[in-house]
Amino acid sequence: MGRIRLASFRAQRTLPKEKPMMVNEKLDAGEVEQIECVEVKTEDSTNPFLPKRTKEKDLPFIPPTEVRKRDGKGDSRLWIVVDTVVLDVTEYQNQHPGGRSIIAGFRGQDCSWQWWSFHDRTIWQSIAGSLRVGRTVGVENPHRRPRTIVGLRKHGFDDWD
Ligand code: HEM
């Protein structure tokens, strides 16, 4: 009985040209399939998007030196860091409601406090959750967080005092 041959973009077929291969082509019984697997090495082939169900503690560690290299220039992916989580925003930057350029300002860098200033946990879970490729430590934020003064104002409404 024949079997279904599944093509993968990672596999490069090396059968003779006169017998071109078709995706999902059925092989005859006994026919030997010759596929030489050649891993397609992009610089990020080891950092795919991780499923939302992956817990943050289980994200693979990516050294900060690698994160900084992903600045979206040339063939590079575009990564940003929120807290300790590395997000791949290469495609998402074009869909960002706040505009593309604001994300591009944080190429390969940390943007934690800016991120939490404009977004909440719902956006973290619904969108950023699917853009995670790993976790890291030690990646710098290009802007110092402005000082905020808290606790000097009385809580509540006391105009009738
Ligand atoms: C993975 C990265 C990001 C995701 C998933 C994301 C997602 C979003 C979403 C869903 C909105 C619309 C919010 C709403 O309508 O309530 C938004 C708006 C916005 N985002 Fe992002 N964002 C990302 C990165 C960033 C970064 C790095 C900045 C830098 C400061 C930023 C700044 C903003 C701003 C300024 C707005 C517009 C807020 C407004 O119009 O009120 N975002 N973003």
Side-chain angles (χ1 to χ4, degrees), residues 87 89 92 96-98 102 106 111 114-115 118-119 123 127 131:
L87 302 173
V89 290
Y92 182 76
H96 181 232
I102 200 160
F106 295 95
C111 60
Q114 294 91 340
W115 204 92
F118 293 108
H119 318 87
I123 298 178
I127 308 175
L131 302 175

Side-chain angles (χ1 to χ4, degrees), residues 54-60 132 135:
T54 310
K55 296 194 173 126
E56 281 190 21
K57 69 174 176 53
D58 296 329
L59 296 172
R132 300 173 312 158
R135 68 192 166 83

